[in-house]
């Protein structure tokens, strides 16, 4: 993916400024092409006046119908300026003669960067989501480390929001963050270790707190599928609860499958990440985004 980070000056994009501006030593009148906006009478008159004052041949005046304003989109730049100028230079036999293009009032002088181009939006979204997901995975790893060690009173009745099941004070992850692949592997190992530790907690109240924390982290990190697997392994009596979760998993999996095998738009990517997090969790979504980011 490519993303242009700055506005591009029109003349530079045309690629013909091999010399200085008109009037500077070494540049003659026969080497200048004047471009004006045919839709603006003032632009046309200015072009003619400039040509007369500089002694520039009228065949070196090019009148184009251009969308007004100082800026122009990449699409309009290609259609209304770049291609017509190249064609005119060729048709008029000026290819090897013109060294400078002088644009007159009425001709946009900046090509807007592709801020709204789908590819650029996708690049920004992937970069943003990959960074946020990476950070959240590292936070969850730190939370997982406190399971069966600290037993704060939960501030929620369910397993969401995740942070409400843990102590409110926790140091933020320090930079640089460990690599996504590394922390994901460490989390998978630690989940198994913590599950064994929770099963050995003697205090019923502490064990219940740790069980809820572990359920929440399975859901966050491994999605509905991971939570269902965890419940089936540790709570065989919760079959009705599992059936409800399985229906949610099937619905989300269907939405995810519908997006596979097609060219993703930025909106599609958002839907993919949302359903990926719901079905197989943050670990899968983080790995996927990291691969997209390259």
């Amino acid at each position: 993916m490519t993303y242009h980070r700055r506005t591009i000056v029109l003349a530079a994009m045309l690629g013909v400024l091999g010399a200085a501006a008109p009037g500077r030593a070494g540049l003659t009148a026969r080497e200048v092409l004047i471009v004006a906006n045919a839709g603006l009478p003032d632009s046309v008159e200015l072009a003619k006046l400039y040509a007369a004052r500089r002694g520039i041949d009228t065949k070196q005046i090019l009148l184009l119908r251009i969308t007004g304003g100082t800026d122009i989109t990449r699409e309009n730049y290609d259609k209304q300026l770049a291609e017509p100028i190249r064609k005119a230079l060729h048709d008029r036999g000026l290819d090897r003669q013109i060294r400078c293009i002088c644009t007159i009032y009425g001709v946009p002088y900046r090509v807007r960067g592709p801020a709204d181009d789908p590819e650029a939006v996708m690049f920004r979204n992937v970069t943003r989501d990959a960074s946020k997901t990476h950070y959240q995975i590292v936070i969850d790893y730190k939370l997982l480390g406190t399971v069966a060690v600290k037993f704060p009173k939960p501030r929620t009745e369910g397993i969401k929001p995740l942070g409400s099941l843990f102590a409110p004070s926790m140091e933020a992850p320090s930079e640089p963050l460990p690599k996504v692949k590394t922390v994901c592997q460490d989390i998978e190992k630690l989940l198994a270790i913590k599950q064994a530790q929770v099963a050995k907690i003697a205090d019923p109240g502490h064990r219940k707190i740790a069980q809820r924390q572990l359920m929440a982290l399975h859901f966050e990190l491994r999605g509905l599928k991971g939570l269902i697997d965890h419940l089936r392994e540790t709570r065989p009596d919760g079959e009705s609860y599992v059936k409800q979760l399985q229906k949610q998993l099937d619905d989300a999996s269907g939405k995810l499958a519908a997006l596979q095998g097609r060219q993703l738009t930025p909106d599609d990517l958002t839907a993919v990440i949302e359903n990926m997090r719901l079905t197989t969790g943050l670990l899968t979504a983080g790995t996927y985004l990291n691969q997209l980011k390259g």
Side-chain angles (χ1 to χ4, degrees):
M1 297 182 185
T2 55
Y3 175 55
H4 298 276
R5 300 177 185 277
R6 58 186 179 191
T7 303
I8 303 165
V9 178
L10 175 62
M13 284 303 300
L14 295 175
V16 295
L17 289 183
R24 187 170 171 181
L27 187 65
T28 65
R30 68 185 303 275
E31 295 170 321
V32 179
L33 178 74
I34 302 171
V35 179
N37 192 336
L40 297 175
D42 287 349
S43 182
V44 176
E45 288 303 313
L46 225 72
K48 292 178 179 178
L49 178 62
Y50 182 80
R53 291 286 179 89
R54 293 289 183 181
I56 297 171
D57 195 305
T58 54
K59 79 171 185 177
Q60 292 165 226
I61 298 176
L62 180 60
L63 304 180
L64 300 174
R65 292 204 169 271
I66 310 163
T67 303
T70 58
D71 294 359
I72 189 169
T73 65
R74 163 63 63 176
E75 181 181 7
N76 285 339
Y77 162 76
D78 289 333
K79 291 180 180 179
Q80 299 176 9
L81 279 170
E83 289 306 321
I85 289 174
R86 292 191 187 102
K87 186 175 185 303
L89 289 174
H90 176 74
D91 292 348
R92 300 181 188 185
L94 300 172
D95 305 69
R96 298 182 179 278
Q97 177 181 322
I98 298 300
R99 297 172 61 202
C100 176
I101 293 177
C102 176
T103 56
I104 299 297
Y105 159 78
V107 177
Y109 54 82
R110 283 193 300 262
V111 181
R112 287 202 293 268
D116 298 322
D117 180 82
E119 186 178 351
V121 174
M122 184 74 81
F123 180 87
R124 291 200 308 272
N125 289 357
V126 167
T127 303
R128 178 200 64 206
D129 292 346
S131 178
K132 288 172 60 178
T133 303
H134 188 181
Y135 192 81
Q136 187 60 51
I137 288 173
V138 175
I139 288 177
D140 290 349
Y141 180 58
K142 289 173 70 71
L143 292 176
L144 181 57
T146 69
V147 173
V149 177
K150 298 178 181 180
F151 305 95
K153 184 177 180 181
R155 287 161 286 136
T156 177
E157 292 300 318
I159 60 174
K160 298 189 299 184
L162 178 66
S164 295
L165 295 168
F166 293 83
S169 58
M170 186 185 74
E171 290 185 10
S174 57
E175 301 285 349
L177 300 177
K179 292 182 179 180
V180 172
K181 183 178 180 180
T182 301
V183 74
C184 286
Q185 290 172 343
D186 289 345
I187 282 174
E188 291 288 3
K189 295 175 185 176
L190 191 55
L191 279 169
I193 293 171
K194 289 297 179 179
Q195 188 164 312
Q197 290 178 351
V198 170
K200 296 178 181 178
I201 296 175
D203 186 294
H206 285 178
R207 186 169 62 253
K208 183 177 180 180
I209 291 172
Q211 284 173 339
R212 287 178 61 194
Q213 290 176 332
L214 207 51
M215 284 174 58
L217 282 165
H218 272 284
F219 180 44
E220 168 93 344
L221 295 165
R222 300 173 64 229
L224 285 165
K225 186 178 185 307
L227 177 58
I228 290 170
D229 291 343
H230 173 66
L231 289 175
R232 282 177 172 159
E233 183 177 348
T234 60
R235 297 177 58 183
D237 57 329
E239 190 61 30
S240 59
Y241 188 44
V242 168
K243 287 180 179 178
Q244 181 183 356
L245 293 174
Q246 185 65 53
K247 184 180 183 307
Q248 295 177 34
L249 175 60
D250 293 341
D251 290 343
S253 296
K255 293 176 182 177
L256 193 58
L259 292 166
Q260 291 179 345
R262 60 193 261 188
Q263 185 69 36
L264 296 182
T265 66
D267 288 341
D268 289 338
L269 178 65
T270 299
V272 165
I273 298 305
E274 287 177 354
N275 285 288
M276 192 174 286
R277 288 191 62 167
L278 188 57
T279 55
T280 52
L282 201 63
L283 298 183
T284 302
T287 301
Y288 174 70
L289 284 164
N290 198 50
Q291 289 172 346
L292 285 183
K293 190 178 70 168

